[in-house]
Amino acid sequence: MRMVIAVVFSLVFIAVGGLFALADVTPNPVSQHWLAAAHATVEVKTWAFKTLIVICANSVTGFPKLQVTLIFILATWLAYVHVRWQPYYFQWMNHTRAGLYSMTAFVALMLNINGWWEHTLQHDTSLDLASKAARSATHAKLLSDLAVKLLPVALGLGAGVSWLRLNIAVKRALAKFRALGPVDAEAIPGLRDIHKFLDPYEVEIIARCCRCWVDYEDKELDKEPLKLAELVIKAGLARFPQSAHMVLVYVNFLGSVVDSRQACSSQLQAAKNLDPNLLDRCGAAARRCLAWCC
């Protein structure tokens, strides 16, 4: 009976945590909140990976090699999704999260090395039990000391890779659009091929160039980057015309940056007609809630 109660409450906790992660989206591209995220995709994946790590740590104890390998893979993937998708509007928040999860991945790597080494040691028939115990303790202490001393390196490496990934991608893309000069998107032939975006999430990352304030306290935006961001988004729309997420990026830009409620409403309906997934539906709901509150 106690086991049933524990399982039920665990499932409830996982479900509630997943719902909180699903709702963690800020449909305002110029939000000044430090933890504002453009979409909930990374938070949902993060919650799923963390849940799986806990399950592996507590439920796969009978298979130590499999356990440490799964934990390492999940921890590494946890760092990767933050480097790849850069969910937060503030760059430094993305780099900080990437660095922190890189530390987790590094500790998981040390755990993985120790687990496999321990397995090899225990199957070494040339050593007696006392020798095995002594070597095991020495090796475990060595890896623990190494992990503690190299944690700052892992933090810096993860943050550095995140910074390079973001800045190289943004600079390369924006250089192509700036080279076009002050021109309307409709007048550009082959708009969809100016830059080969990987996906709509990449378009949204590049379009964050609009986050340039003349006066940060008064929330007054610089007009020139706004035009550049709009051109980037329209190129993304031309490249991904059937993507509901891409349309939602444009909706958020129209609603919070351009402040065109009528265009925002019509584009929101267009996104609804493109059969959005659950994450995009939550993003659309957050956009509607923001419109009602304003």
Side-chain angles (χ1 to χ4, degrees):
M1 185 62 183
R2 290 180 181 178
M3 179 62 72
V4 173
I5 293 174
V7 170
V8 169
F9 275 95
S10 296
L11 292 175
V12 170
F13 177 77
I14 293 171
V16 172
L19 289 175
F20 273 105
L22 197 61
D24 191 10
V25 55
T26 304
N28 179 5
V30 290
S31 172
Q32 294 180 349
H33 193 284
W34 287 359
L35 290 174
H39 51 83
T41 305
V42 173
E43 283 301 316
V44 171
K45 289 181 178 180
T46 299
W47 178 250
F49 294 150
K50 288 179 178 178
T51 302
L52 290 173
I53 287 174
V54 173
I55 291 173
C56 287
N58 292 277
S59 302
V60 199
T61 52
F63 306 93
K65 290 192 298 180
L66 177 63
Q67 182 186 49
V68 296
T69 302
L70 288 175
I71 290 175
F72 172 63
I73 292 172
L74 291 168
T76 304
W77 195 256
L78 195 57
Y80 169 77
V81 295
H82 283 81
V83 172
R84 169 65 182 84
W85 280 287
Q86 303 281 320
Y88 300 101
Y89 291 123
F90 280 98
Q91 288 191 24
W92 63 268
M93 181 57 68
N94 289 309
H95 308 330
T96 301
R97 285 292 185 97
L100 291 173
Y101 285 123
S102 295
M103 292 170 66
T104 304
F106 176 69
V107 172
L109 174 62
M110 294 294 101
L111 176 66
N112 197 48
I113 293 173
N114 185 67
W116 281 91
W117 189 88
E118 184 70 21
H119 173 77
T120 303
L121 177 65
Q122 295 304 323
H123 287 76
D124 189 349
T125 56
S126 64
L127 297 174
D128 57 27
L129 291 178
S131 299
K132 289 181 180 180
R135 290 195 180 188
S136 179
T138 302
H139 192 265
K141 186 178 185 304
L142 174 64
L143 287 179
S144 296
D145 293 342
L146 189 64
V148 171
K149 291 177 181 179
L150 291 182
L151 275 179
V153 177
L155 173 65
L157 182 62
V161 170
S162 177
W163 184 88
L164 285 173
R165 176 261 182 275
L166 181 61
N167 283 274
I168 290 175
V170 170
K171 287 181 179 179
R172 286 181 59 192
L174 290 183
K176 297 176 183 179
F177 288 98
R178 286 196 178 104
L180 299 174
V183 61
D184 291 333
E186 291 75 12
I188 302 175
L191 180 64
R192 69 189 306 273
D193 296 321
I194 293 175
H195 181 72
K196 297 188 182 301
F197 296 107
L198 298 175
D199 50 40
Y201 297 98
E202 190 80 10
V203 179
E204 186 276 324
I205 292 173
I206 307 302
R208 292 176 195 170
C209 64
C210 69
R211 293 174 56 82
C212 185
W213 286 271
V214 175
D215 190 322
Y216 187 81
E217 296 297 330
D218 292 337
K219 300 182 179 181
E220 181 184 352
L221 293 166
D222 191 344
K223 302 299 181 184
E224 193 64 31
L226 295 185
K227 296 178 182 177
L228 183 61
E230 185 173 13
L231 185 59
V232 170
I233 292 173
K234 288 185 175 179
L237 286 169
R239 189 165 184 82
F240 306 105
Q242 299 302 315
S243 171
H245 185 79
M246 185 66 250
V247 177
L248 283 176
V249 171
Y250 191 37
V251 166
N252 293 334
F253 181 81
L254 290 172
S256 297
V257 181
V258 180
D259 196 22
S260 176
R261 296 194 177 188
Q262 184 175 357
C264 175
S265 179
S266 63
Q267 289 294 326
L268 195 58
Q269 184 59 41
K272 184 179 179 181
N273 295 335
L274 290 174
D275 191 24
N277 58 32
L278 179 60
L279 291 170
D280 290 334
R281 289 179 187 275
C282 290
R287 178 71 250 174
R288 285 192 290 269
C289 289
L290 186 62
W292 292 336
C293 293
C294 295

